Amino acid sequence: MNLEFDADTEEMRAMVVAFAQRELAGRGDTARAPFDTAGFRRRWRRAGEQGLVGGAVPADYGGSGLDAVASSAVMEALGYGGEDTGFAFSVAAHLFAALMPVVEFGTEEQKREWLPGLCSGELIAAHGITEPEAGSDALSLRTRAERKGDEYVLHGSKCFTTNAPVADVFVVQAATEPSGGFFGLTAFVVEAGTPGLSVGAPYDKVGLRGSPTADVHFDGCVVPAGRVLGTEGAGATVFSASMKWERVCLFAIYLGAMRRVLESTIAYAKEREQFGSPIGGFQAVGHRIVDMTLRLESARLLLYKAARGLARGDQDEIAPALAKLAVSEAAVQLGLDAVQVRGGLGMVGGEAETFLRDALPARVFSGTSEIQKNNVARALGLGSNRRPNRRR
């Protein structure tokens, strides 16, 4: 099992780290300041020029054609090089939750129309799935899409939609057959500015503040039938496929950010003195940092195992769920430990405090930690209503 990257991937990682440190400086965590849309788009265009916002898209449509392993490596480098985890999160959500469904399920015409601009950084995409009454229960969407001739009319609302305040294109899930279960959902590509589509005010979030998030409303929004992704009733399949990319490659951002925070925590423990000695020499502090290292390295192994499976086309449901679960839980605990090592300094604005806030949402989005455990249990054959055969 080769855990090393090839020379091209290592070179690409180094370039992304240098780019992020140079062009994406700043944490983007000004909670009460108005969101700087123009500044966000400037950085987005730079990221597009670097190939970051379309890396996994085939080269024929403007991307770099990276597989899941290389895509994860790039996201890890982005998380390490840039302190604004929210911006990196927006890039990954755009790529894995919105562009990859177009790549895998779009028609040739849809790919040619949308992907080049979305890969170049000219356009930004958002994925609308979560609703006030349908978070973990994605098959209970209340947003409806009614077929009328060659058009669909959408009614309903989405919440917690990443990139919504700046999005040019929305990939939207709606119920075309409310009682159809898995086959009752349909995915659509909807342009911003379409009559009947409106976006609410950006959220003031506890973390990932550099990622603009808002509600999206559909009030008689008319979408041509040619904007359906896949076929009518295939929305759940589209969503499941995008989640595999997101739960693996997006979470590599946290690996990079954890590495950056771990390194700064080690440096702090070597320099900070109490009772005449560096605090890193105290067993309680040293063991805590060892635990931080263990969590990071363990989570990294699970994520790249899942990435390799995704790159091979495996249909494994367990590896992506375990990777997402391990990385998100490790990130929160590592953030808590980084704050604890810094003591009082960890309570004020700084790298550790910011990372902890950015890590907290990781346990919730893309399926909560509890949902990931449910997914793994189901894949293991647990939770069946069938009675086990009992030997007498």
Side-chain angles (χ1 to χ4, degrees):
M1 183 175 175
N2 184 7
L3 300 179
E4 301 297 325
F5 296 120
D6 59 36
D8 289 343
T9 303
E10 287 290 2
E11 181 180 1
M12 185 166 51
R13 281 164 52 88
M15 290 174 60
V16 172
V17 169
F19 165 79
Q21 292 174 338
R22 182 180 68 251
E23 301 288 347
L24 304 179
R27 293 198 300 265
D29 61 350
T30 50
R32 302 301 186 268
F35 182 74
D36 182 6
T37 300
F40 183 91
R41 281 195 172 273
R42 280 195 299 271
R43 296 202 294 167
W44 192 273
R45 289 301 297 267
R46 293 182 191 134
E49 293 166 0
Q50 192 70 19
L52 294 176
V53 303
V57 175
D60 288 348
Y61 306 109
S64 301
L66 304 180
D67 67 7
V69 174
S71 294
S72 297
V74 167
M75 290 298 117
E76 184 180 11
L78 183 60
Y80 180 84
E83 293 184 30
D84 189 351
T85 307
F87 182 82
F89 177 80
S90 275
V91 169
H94 156 97
L95 174 56
F96 302 120
L99 271 64
M100 292 313 293
V102 178
V103 170
E104 296 185 350
F105 297 94
T107 64
E108 187 65 22
E109 181 181 356
Q110 289 169 340
K111 295 175 186 178
R112 296 290 178 191
E113 181 177 4
W114 296 114
L115 291 177
L118 290 166
C119 289
S120 69
E122 179 184 355
L123 303 176
I124 301 173
H127 179 226
I129 177 71
T130 305
E131 298 180 2
E133 302 299 326
S136 298
D137 187 6
L139 297 183
S140 297
L141 299 183
R142 295 189 177 183
T143 297
R144 301 287 185 253
E146 181 182 0
R147 181 76 182 252
K148 291 188 176 181
D150 292 333
E151 299 173 332
Y152 289 84
V153 182
L154 275 61
H155 290 273
S157 295
K158 303 294 181 181
C159 60
F160 305 120
T161 305
T162 301
N163 293 341
V166 293
D168 304 288
V169 181
F170 294 83
V171 173
V172 179
Q173 294 280 353
T176 44
E177 180 54 58
S179 59
F182 188 87
F183 299 102
L185 305 184
T186 301
F188 300 87
V189 179
V190 187
E191 282 188 89
T194 301
L197 185 157
S198 60
V199 177
Y203 292 171
D204 180 10
K205 308 190 299 296
V206 66
L208 298 176
R209 292 173 177 168
S211 175
T213 308
D215 296 340
V216 183
H217 307 285
F218 302 93
D219 184 10
C221 179
V222 177
V223 181
R227 298 293 173 84
V228 171
L229 272 184
T231 60
E232 182 175 316
T237 301
V238 174
F239 174 64
S240 297
S242 70
M243 281 298 98
K244 285 188 178 181
W245 281 94
E246 184 169 301
R247 287 170 180 164
V248 176
C249 301
L250 182 150
F251 280 84
I253 292 169
Y254 282 101
L255 295 179
M258 281 192 277
R259 178 80 61 191
R260 170 169 44 82
V261 173
L262 174 61
E263 289 178 358
S264 68
T265 303
I266 292 171
Y268 178 83
K270 290 178 178 179
E271 297 172 359
R272 171 67 169 166
E273 292 191 0
Q274 289 287 275
F275 307 105
S277 300
I279 64 172
F282 302 149
Q283 188 179 71
V285 174
H287 283 191
R288 187 180 295 274
I289 292 176
V290 170
D291 287 340
M292 294 168 71
T293 304
L294 175 62
R295 292 189 187 95
L296 169 58
E297 296 299 339
S298 300
R300 191 171 188 271
L301 288 173
L302 282 170
L303 186 136
Y304 278 102
K305 177 186 177 183
R308 286 183 171 86
L310 183 57
R312 288 193 303 263
D314 293 354
Q315 299 303 311
D316 180 17
E317 297 181 14
I318 294 177
L322 287 179
K324 193 274 182 188
L325 178 63
V327 174
S328 58
E329 294 293 334
V332 172
Q333 188 58 54
L334 189 143
L336 288 168
D337 289 336
V339 168
Q340 188 72 21
V341 169
R342 288 164 172 79
L345 289 177
M347 300 294 110
V348 297
E351 185 177 43
E353 178 264 348
T354 300
F355 174 75
L356 177 58
R357 286 192 287 102
D358 288 340
L360 291 173
R363 300 176 64 191
V364 176
F365 65 75
S366 301
T368 64
S369 292
E370 292 76 13
I371 287 295
Q372 302 312 315
K373 292 178 181 179
N374 286 348
N375 291 343
V376 174
R378 183 178 62 250
L380 293 174
L382 305 176
S384 172
N385 291 326
R386 295 175 57 189
R387 285 186 172 183
N389 293 324
R390 298 183 183 274
R391 293 183 178 180
R392 300 190 180 188

